[in-house]
Amino acid sequence: GQQVMQIPQYQHVQEGEDFTTYCNSSTTLSNIQWYKQRPGGHPVFLIQLVKSGEVKKQKRLTFQFGEAKKNSSLHITATQTTDVGTYFCAGPRGNYGQNFVFGPGTRLSVLP
Amino acid sequence: DVKVTQSSRYLVKRTGEKVFLECVQDMDHENMFWYRQDPGLGLRLIYFSYDVKMKEKGDIPEGYSVSREKKERFSLILESASTNQTSMYLCASSFHLGTSGASYEQYFGPGTRLTVT
């Protein structure tokens, strides 16, 4: 079946360092979504990418969708303690699926 | 402000009990979802509903059933709870399919941490 993988599983960084998580799908995706889950919280939507090669920025966060629409990345510049949490990517099942397959997530720890 | 609420934050049940987890959304969303979240496994879809009385199995439906009698409410039922169903259960909702390849974001509830002893 359709699979979405993420690496790394865990990342520990010093505050101020950069961080990147990578997401790979076994199938071509019509779009990809990213969510953040703070410790003890629930996933919260960050962004959706739809176009091949698309790059979107949210302050220190940069999201990229691969040319083949099978991979994506999230890069955080100069991490802060508020960035702590688990970052999930999610791709729709099939073409224009109504529900999503989530990756296992990357847990980010930021040391002050 | 959009809201998805779940009936309990913490629940402790005994093996063999029938367990009901309730989810209510106030955003008039067509789609509702039940996930379970376990460390290292991410969010795994149990069941999905795209309309009242409509449901589809997700990746791990065994041991679970669902009910959607009203648009705003989606219930997850554990017919006979087992210890391997100890987990965090998350409900989510979204609007129906978007256009031009886009989908709608999912809004999650706070989760129910279920322990089966």
Side-chain angles (χ1 to χ4, degrees):
Chain A
Q2 183 179 355
Q3 289 188 332
V4 175
M5 295 147 282
Q6 279 183 261
I7 54 169
Q9 190 174 1
Y10 303 97
Q11 184 80 57
H12 305 277
V13 299
Q14 206 72 36
E15 190 172 18
E17 290 182 340
D18 292 357
F19 159 77
T20 304
T21 174
Y22 299 91
C23 176
N24 288 285
S25 170
S26 59
T27 60
T28 302
L29 301 171
S30 55
N31 64 73
I32 193 157
Q33 297 183 349
W34 285 91
Y35 291 79
K36 176 184 178 181
Q37 184 175 24
R38 294 181 187 274
H42 57 272
V44 175
F45 174 81
L46 292 175
I47 207 162
Q48 179 177 226
L49 304 170
V50 179
K51 298 176 183 176
S52 169
E54 188 171 14
V55 178
K56 285 189 176 180
K57 293 192 175 187
Q58 289 179 349
K59 297 184 181 177
R60 293 177 296 103
L61 278 62
T62 302
F63 302 84
Q64 189 164 3
F65 201 10
E67 294 290 341
K69 301 183 78 172
K70 293 185 72 174
N71 60 345
S72 181
S73 64
L74 158 59
H75 179 82
I76 303 178
T77 303
T79 55
Q80 299 175 358
T81 54
T82 53
D83 296 324
V84 164
T86 301
Y87 293 85
F88 295 98
C89 62
R93 292 174 195 269
N95 274 337
Y96 307 105
Q98 293 282 358
N99 64 71
F100 281 72
V101 178
F102 278 78
T106 295
R107 193 196 299 182
L108 172 64
S109 298
V110 179
L111 305 172
Chain B
D1 197 17
V2 296
K3 213 168 187 180
V4 179
T5 56
Q6 294 184 228
S7 49
S8 307
R9 288 301 303 271
Y10 300 93
L11 209 53
V12 179
K13 295 291 181 181
R14 294 195 181 276
T15 301
E17 278 193 86
K18 192 168 186 175
V19 182
F20 293 87
L21 302 182
E22 304 283 338
C23 175
V24 178
Q25 52 95 4
D26 64 358
M27 296 164 281
D28 203 32
H29 285 164
E30 295 88 0
N31 296 340
M32 296 189 75
F33 311 83
W34 275 108
Y35 297 91
R36 65 176 280 178
Q37 183 174 25
D38 300 289
L41 297 177
L43 284 75
R44 292 182 291 167
L45 182 67
I46 305 172
Y47 267 99
F48 158 60
S49 170
Y50 52 92
D51 202 351
V52 174
K53 297 190 186 295
M54 305 304 288
K55 62 185 179 185
E56 283 187 9
K57 292 180 180 179
D59 298 313
I60 50 166
E62 297 79 17
Y64 303 95
S65 61
V66 290
S67 172
R68 191 162 181 208
E69 297 295 319
K70 293 185 177 182
K71 189 176 185 180
E72 67 271 17
R73 188 179 296 269
F74 193 33
S75 303
L76 180 69
I77 303 146
L78 286 67
E79 296 290 341
S80 178
S82 64
T83 54
N84 62 14
Q85 292 178 310
T86 291
S87 186
M88 171 68 82
Y89 290 87
L90 288 162
C91 175
S93 69
S94 77
F95 285 116
H96 217 44
L97 187 64
T99 58
S100 304
S103 302
Y104 283 103
E105 65 188 270
Q106 293 184 40
Y107 292 86
F108 285 83
T112 296
R113 185 165 293 282
L114 172 68
T115 302
V116 182
T117 61

